[in-house]
């Protein structure tokens, strides 16, 4: 046996590994460059698995001799706002948007028993019935003062002010998102005011997820912020190289999803220039392509815009327009989508959303914070809406159709924006916030945001087992 082969194998033997005779056969047959590194990789992986022998199959996998051709990698873009965007103007447009939101959500809850009893707000104000009545509307105001909570909801017929006294019901009332759809059971109090007896939100039913037939893996990323001084270029490069490596999991990855903030952009916040390496969007996107195009071609990459990317700022956002970078659009394994988008991966429905609305929601809803993004994501699913709040910092476009509604219950809900990794399961839906690839910026430090960057979230689509791979520490 050749000297370098013996040397490499000694490394494994010294670590207490046994080597199966069939492994030697391969080593005799194949000319292997960098065998030492291959053996070290195998030792590291198998030590993690607590398996201390090396056989022919291990070598085949790590040398890339064993193909994974049986793995399915079918995708379908089920919904994408890019080509649907019309943008009507001003007040008329917002009137249409909100009336569409109301009627779509009312239809969504129409199979609930309470829905049959719903009355228009104007009629219950006029009739002052002695019995409890059901109304629904969009929540325009929520106020808590001296142990009572006031809710104001609007439907197309009018506006209803109601009071919540019950403690448990107040907790529910306070967790409602402004401008979300809500049903109320109300009665008339002694002084003629409306008292809330029950609050019913759209929510999602318990969900049985779809799984992939084959053990295909997907990686969830967001907030690369290429162009920023704080962009973790080395770590992202390491991730991309790992994708092309013979690591047994890397070899089964067929999808990479990027949920927005691909670049840092320019003019996004005051004095941003001081924190940029590249001060124009074209250069930033060029750099992003340079890194992402090293992803092997058998991996499909889905790219969504965030609030730092070029195109339109208001939600829903179209895909990053072609005029900024043709390479992103031309590469055969890249798929440019708008924000939000619903994508099917081997039959698994992934709802992708950058997550801009989280800022306004955290600010206005008690009990929510930036460091627990999946809790906010639960609220979005409960409200069946990705960005309910109007008139705060998240710009909403006055579209005729409200494309921010969660029409279909997804199997995976993937969000970014807050730069904090979050994983959770809600009623069978896998919730992923994919963190970031940017170190904490001075701005984030000043507002108390502590990111958890440099971590790739990897999911086995056959069983939804989730892995966090940290590229800050792993070699
Ligand atoms: O957002 C990164 C994080 O910073 C996200 O959690 C929102 C937060 N952020 C962004 N802008 C603001 C303002 N103006 N106030 C408070 N918090 C903010 P990114 O989209 O990457 O900039
Ligand atoms: Fe971001
Ligand atoms: Zn963002």
């Amino acid at each position: 046996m050749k000297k370098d082969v013996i040397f490499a194998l000694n490394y494994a033997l010294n670590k207490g590994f046994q080597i199966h005779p069939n492994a030697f056969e391969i080593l005799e047959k194949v000319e292997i460059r960098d065998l030492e590194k291959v053996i070290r990789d195998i030792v590291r992986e198998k030590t993690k698995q607590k398996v201390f022998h090396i056989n022919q199959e291990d070598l085949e996998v790590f040398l890339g001799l064993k193909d994974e051709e049986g793995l399915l990698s079918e995708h379908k873009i089920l919904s994408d706002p890019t080509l649907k965007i019309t943008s009507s103007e001003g007040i008329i447009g917002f009137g249409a948007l909100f009336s569409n939101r109301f009627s779509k959500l009312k239809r969504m809850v129409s199979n609930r028993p309470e829905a049959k009893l719903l009355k228009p707000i104007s009629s219950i104000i006029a009739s002052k019935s002695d019995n409890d009545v059901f109304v629904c509307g969009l929540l325009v105001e929520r106020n808590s003062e001296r142990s009572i909570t006031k809710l104001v909801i609007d439907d197309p017929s009018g506006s209803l002010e109601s009071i919540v006294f019950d403690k448990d019901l107040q907790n529910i009332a306070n967790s409602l998102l402004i401008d979300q759809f809500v049903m109320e059971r109300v009665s008339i109090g002694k002084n003629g005011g409306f008292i809330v007896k029950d609050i019913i939100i759209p929510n999602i039913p318990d969900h049985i997820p779809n799984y992939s037939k084959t053990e295909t893996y997907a990686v969830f990323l967001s907030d690369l912020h290429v162009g920023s001084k704080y962009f973790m270029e080395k770590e992202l490069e390491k991730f991309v190289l790992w994708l092309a490596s013979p690591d047994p999991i890397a070899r089964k990855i067929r999808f990479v999803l990027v949920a927005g903030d691909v670049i840092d952009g320019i003019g996004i916040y005051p004095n941003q220039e001081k924190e940029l390496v590249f001060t124009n969007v074209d250069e930033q996107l060029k750099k992003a392509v340079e890194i992402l195009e090293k992803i092997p071609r058998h991996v499909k990459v889905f790219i969504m815009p965030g609030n730092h990317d070029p195109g339109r700022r208001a939600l829903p956002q179209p895909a990053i327009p072609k005029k900024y970078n043709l390479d992103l659009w031309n590469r055969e394994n890249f798929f440019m989508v708008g924000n939000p988008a619903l994508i099917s991966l081997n039959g698994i429905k992934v709802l992708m959303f950058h997550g801009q609305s989280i800022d306004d929601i955290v600010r206005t809803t008690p009990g929510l914070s930036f460091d627990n993004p999946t809790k906010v994501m639960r609220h979005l699913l409960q409200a069946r809406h990705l960005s309910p709040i109007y008139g705060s910092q998240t710009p909403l476009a006055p579209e005729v159709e409200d494309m921010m509604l969660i029409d279909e219950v997804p199997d995976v809900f993937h969000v970014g924006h807050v730069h904090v990794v979050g994983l959770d399961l809600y009623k069978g839906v896998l919730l992923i916030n994919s963190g970031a690839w940017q170190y904490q910026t001075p701005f984030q430090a000043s507002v108390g945001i502590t990111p958890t960057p440099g971590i790739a979230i990897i999911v086995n689509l056959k069983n939804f087992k989730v892995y966090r791979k940290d590229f800050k520490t792993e070699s």
Side-chain angles (χ1 to χ4, degrees), residues 315-316 339-340 353 384-387 396 402-406:
L315 292 171
N339 174 27
F353 169 47
R384 295 297 285 262
H385 202 283
L386 294 169
S387 188
L396 288 181
D402 189 343
M403 291 176 246
M404 305 308 291
L405 242 98
I406 304 175

Side-chain angles (χ1 to χ4, degrees), residues 223 225 261 307-308 359 370 393 417-419 443-444 449:
D223 300 271
H225 290 269
D261 285 357
N307 51 311
H308 284 253
D359 297 351
F370 285 112
Q393 286 188 12
H417 187 56
V418 295
H419 295 209
F443 170 77
Q444 288 162 2
I449 290 167

Side-chain angles (χ1 to χ4, degrees), residues 225 228 230 264 266-276 308 313 438 441-443:
H225 290 269
S228 159
Y230 305 93
D264 206 51
I266 164 145
I268 309 293
Y269 55 85
N271 296 318
Q272 189 187 9
E273 319 77 74
K274 292 182 194 138
E275 297 180 9
L276 293 176
H308 284 253
R313 281 295 287 280
Q438 182 191 38
T441 66
F443 170 77

